[in-house]
Amino acid sequence: MVGRRKPASKNDTRGYAVASMPSKVAEEQELKAQAQIDAPDAPEVDDDDGASESGAAAAATSTRRGASAPLSTEEQSRLEQSVLGMLQGAPSLKKLQSVVRRLQQPGVNCRWFPQGRAATDVRRTLCVGCGDGSYELGMLLANATEDELIVTFYEAEARLKQRYTNFAVNAWVLRALGATLLFDVDATRLMESLEAAQSPPHMYGSICFNFPQTGSAFPGTPAWRDVLLHLIAGYFSSAARLIETRLIEEGVGDGEVVLVMMDRPPYGELPFDELADAVGLQMLRRGGV
């Protein structure tokens, strides 16, 4: 469904898009996330061997092949498949780093990394409430976006390492792919928490909340509905305010707020249009992804 309300002015083109996720995939993600929320804390992963942002950004390229030896197309494809295969399980961070760094060698135009992408005007997408970062990592690995991603998390980095056993790996790969990671960012208080997290002062072409969850109550119950609607309403309000402020400051005429949800009841029955309209957002498009 695509709809549009008349903008308040010719320069006011804020909007929001609702994209639905296939039910089976989204349900698996929901069950996984809920299980992680309910599970006892896992021991913190020690990633001092180079899993920091600076370590990923300045990854060494020396391997047994030698930095000057170019990769053939077949070798590059094999390495890319190896990365994807390792990420399906619980890979050793050091082993994964070794493979990724070979793909980062000068002269290797892997599409995952900034140097392997087409030179275009960069659009920045702010992702909020990113859980363990796996959805956003999937977006980059599947080339579902060419945007520069600023990936934000509700909790502190140390807490996420304890909560999610795969977070350290996801975070390292996200940074290696050029994403910026920010922590302690509240989707309902974006202006304040982004400033506190020292967010880069950029205009975001898109602000995206991929499958928001609250971790409380059973889906479809009144308690679940109330808490989730409160979260989404807060997100719409906060994102609209952030886009409006950046539009005024930078004189850019558009920006969108994206919400990704499952395409079946009870999720599809929530009044997204009413929540968006209440904060001055207009529907741009609605459809499956």
Side-chain angles (χ1 to χ4, degrees), residues 14 24 47-48 52 62 87 93 110 125 130 154 159 161 182 192 208 246 257 272:
R14 295 175 297 158
K24 183 177 180 180
D47 62 344
D48 290 338
S52 66
S62 59
L87 288 173
L93 182 55
C110 179
T125 291
C130 295
Y154 181 65
R159 174 59 176 160
K161 290 176 183 177
L182 299 174
E192 300 85 352
C208 184
R246 295 289 165 85
V257 177
F272 303 123

Side-chain angles (χ1 to χ4, degrees), residues 126 128 150 152-153 182-202 204 238 241-242 245-246 249:
L126 177 68
V128 304
I150 292 85
T152 70
F153 302 86
L182 299 174
F183 302 92
D184 293 313
V185 175
D186 185 342
T188 66
R189 299 176 60 254
L190 288 173
M191 292 284 288
E192 300 85 352
S193 53
L194 283 172
E195 181 177 357
Q198 299 182 334
S199 168
H202 297 316
Y204 304 111
S238 181
R241 179 181 165 218
L242 179 59
T245 300
R246 295 289 165 85
E249 290 180 353

